[in-house]
Amino acid sequence: EDKVVQSPLSLVVHEGDTVTLNCSYEVTNFRSLLWYKQEKKAPTFLFMLTSSGIEKKSGRLSSILDKKELFSILNITATQTGDSAIYLCAVVYNFNKFYFGSGTKLNVKP
Amino acid sequence: DTEVTQTPKHLVMGMTNKKSLKCEQHMGHRAMYWYKQKAKKPPELMFVYSYEKLSINESVPSRFSPECPNSSLLNLHLHALQPEDSALYLCASSPLAGGLGVADTQYFGPGTRLTVL
């Protein structure tokens, strides 16, 4: 059965901390892995990863994919209260199917 | 224009009502999606349209009926819903470049918050 698993389910840190969020997957015909941030409304796109070992970076956020071990990590450095959100990992497989993990709820305290 | 719009923002309906949710994008994307999201859960895929044709139906009950009149519009017709269908309904679109090894990202609309009484 295809699946996407995120860990931890929730995380509480203080401003300035660095966090690492994990996403592992088992799907057929993998195409890509995407990270989203969801606050109160719809998910907003962060990164798309298709190749192993190539880090994507945007400001304090970075992500990398390991297609051999079937996982990805999302790093956030120098966290801020505005980073508090649910971070969703989604895998694209079988041409055009998207499957979301259950998300990691991040709470950054001042 | 990188926006996906959805109307209405909120909808309250009875179990005997017929209503429709609308989604629109003008990014030239050829794949459009309906998701259902319950509180504190990730989005669950319902339908995928590729080039205006239904390509994926994730065993959704027939009281939900999707329609894609053209490449920019996606509707979800609702009839005889149940209270457990209350959720946030998200529309998304993606470029659908096609071909093996080519991957797409998705752009989400703000969602319609549906309450079934």
Side-chain angles (χ1 to χ4, degrees), chain A residues 69-90:
Chain A
E69 300 297 330
L70 307 183
F71 76 93
S72 173
I73 59 171
L74 174 68
N75 279 322
I76 308 175
T77 59
T79 51
Q80 302 171 357
T81 55
D83 295 326
S84 296
I86 295 173
Y87 289 83
L88 294 165
C89 161

Side-chain angles (χ1 to χ4, degrees), chain A residues 31 38 42 45 96-98 101, chain B residues 33 35 37 42 58 102 105 109:
Chain A
R31 289 164 57 94
Q38 187 171 27
F45 172 74
N96 208 27
K97 285 190 87 165
F98 283 73
Chain B
Y33 310 76
Y35 286 89
Q37 187 173 25
E58 292 285 2
V102 179
T105 187

Side-chain angles (χ1 to χ4, degrees), chain A residues 45-100:
Chain A
F45 172 74
L46 295 175
F47 297 112
M48 179 175 70
L49 304 158
T50 55
S51 301
S52 273
I54 298 175
E55 186 183 50
K56 293 281 183 91
K57 198 169 171 64
S58 176
R60 297 176 293 103
L61 278 66
S62 63
S63 184
I64 197 161
L65 175 68
D66 186 328
K67 289 169 77 173
K68 183 179 177 186
E69 300 297 330
L70 307 183
F71 76 93
S72 173
I73 59 171
L74 174 68
N75 279 322
I76 308 175
T77 59
T79 51
Q80 302 171 357
T81 55
D83 295 326
S84 296
I86 295 173
Y87 289 83
L88 294 165
C89 161
V91 172
V92 185
Y93 65 105
N94 280 346
F95 181 65
N96 208 27
K97 285 190 87 165
F98 283 73
Y99 190 93
F100 280 86

